[in-house]
Each structure stands twice: as C-alpha cells, then as structure tokens.
Amino acid sequence: MLRSVLTSAALALSASAALADCPVSGDLVRGIALSAPGAAPGYLDVYYGAGPGIISFFALEDGRVTYQETDAHGLYILTSLDLFDGPLNTDSYTYSGGLAELPKPSPGITWSAVVKRSANGETSSARHSYAFAEATQLVIGACAYTAIPADVRVEGEDGPISHAIMYYLPELGISVLYATDIDGEMNVIFQSDRIGYADDLLDGAGQ
C-alpha cells in the first residue's frame, strides 16, 4: 500500500520545482507556513521551533487557530489541543524512555513503543509504531524537499486507532500529514500548494 502511494507521489513531481527562496529549518524561528486553500477557507499550517528538536504546529482557518500540537523531531506527538469544537483540554503523551528514546527519522528504520496519553483527567495507553521508507521528494508550490515517508500506526487494547503516512522533511525539521487510512484504503489528503514564511502568509491572508 505504501509503495503505491509513493509511486503516485513520484509521478506528480514537477521538474521545474526550484529551491530558490524556499524556507529551511533555520526559518522555524520566524515561522514556516503551508497554504492549503482547498482544505478549508483560509487554511494554513504553521510551524515554529519551540526548543531543540521540538516543533509547535498550528492549524488555522480564516485566521482562527483550530488545532495545536507539539512534536519531538517534528513527528512524535507530545501534546495536542483541539480548538475547533472541543473543550479546551490539552492531551499529553508520555514515552517510557523519555524524549531521548525517540529516534531521528531516517530511511529504513522501524520503531515502536507503548505511549501513555493523559486527557481530561483520564489516562490510556496505545502502541505507536513507525516504519520509515526510502526518501522521496515532495513538491510544494515552487519548492522541492527531500521527504522521508513514515508509516504511522496507533493501536489500542481494542484494536487499531489510526493509520497514516507522514512525510518528514529533514530540510525543514517538520512533518506533514500526507495520507490517511479511510475504510481500509490509503487516501492522499496533502493539499498544500504554497510554502513560505509565517508572517508573509498570514499577512497575505489578511490576518
């Protein structure tokens, strides 16, 4: 399944994509934003550096933050906050070996661990599994980036909870949701058609 998704992605690459004036990981201080108007009106994904190896992610619709997440290595979830229609409760995720056990995304490696989730005063556990494929390329507007696909599965005591393909972009230090399992079929949902600096894209959207 993962192979077929990657093949489709490779066929979609543009030979004219250029790296000129494209954000890099050093721009996380300023903020990196991806625009996906097809997802929702005024939709932006915004990433900031929050410390060594830590990324803060915000999803915005029409200037309103609808979701917030903190990730280690831009991939492993640490906290999440749903602001769209849920209560203002932050979910936190704890790894038994601490942050030091989390491997930096790299082609060909696999890793899994039981992760403890604390939410609304309750605690639950689930196994998070990551399988990293060989690097490919992801084109966002006029910018092309190396991408390391990660097949991410979360399974609880009662069975599978989620299955998605994330693309880790080492030149940016972030990951993006590329595809998700819908009724047993992997569907590409990545729609971002522009990447830039957070302040520029937020100003351009009239925020």
Side-chain angles (χ1 to χ4, degrees):
M1 185 67 69
L2 178 58
R3 184 185 300 274
S4 63
V5 171
L6 297 183
T7 301
S8 299
L11 293 175
L13 294 178
S14 168
S16 62
L19 287 173
D21 198 29
C22 295
V24 295
S25 60
D27 297 309
L28 286 167
V29 174
R30 180 179 179 182
I32 296 171
L34 282 69
S35 173
Y43 187 89
L44 288 175
D45 286 336
V46 182
Y47 303 81
Y48 291 96
I54 306 297
I55 301 296
S56 288
F57 163 75
F58 301 86
L60 292 85
E61 294 183 21
D62 282 337
R64 183 171 70 94
V65 176
T66 58
Y67 181 77
Q68 180 180 349
E69 186 173 299
T70 304
D71 303 297
H73 295 308
L75 178 64
Y76 306 103
I77 188 168
L78 300 177
T79 65
S80 65
L81 177 61
D82 185 356
L83 297 166
F84 187 77
D85 57 3
L88 298 181
N89 294 311
T90 299
D91 297 353
S92 61
Y93 300 79
T94 305
Y95 299 82
S96 59
L99 298 185
E101 79 166 322
L102 304 177
K104 188 171 183 179
S106 181
I109 69 170
T110 60
W111 180 82
S112 70
V114 175
V115 180
K116 181 185 296 184
R117 173 176 176 259
S118 298
N120 301 322
E122 299 182 356
T123 300
S124 60
S125 295
R127 178 165 292 278
H128 292 214
S129 300
Y130 298 79
F132 296 93
E134 293 303 311
T136 183
Q137 188 182 50
L138 181 66
V139 174
I140 310 172
C143 299
Y145 293 98
T146 298
I148 302 174
D151 188 295
V152 182
R153 299 170 186 262
V154 178
E155 187 166 357
E157 294 181 356
D158 298 326
I161 297 174
S162 65
H163 178 205
I165 295 175
M166 304 291 294
Y167 270 18
Y168 175 72
L169 310 178
E171 291 145 316
L172 294 174
I174 67 173
S175 63
V176 298
L177 177 60
Y178 185 77
T180 189
D181 188 328
I182 301 176
D183 296 330
E185 294 291 333
M186 194 59 70
N187 291 263
V188 174
I189 63 172
F190 183 79
Q191 299 184 43
S192 296
D193 60 2
R194 182 184 177 193
I195 185 170
Y197 308 105
D199 49 0
D200 288 345
L201 267 65
L202 287 170
D203 288 344
Q207 313 306 330

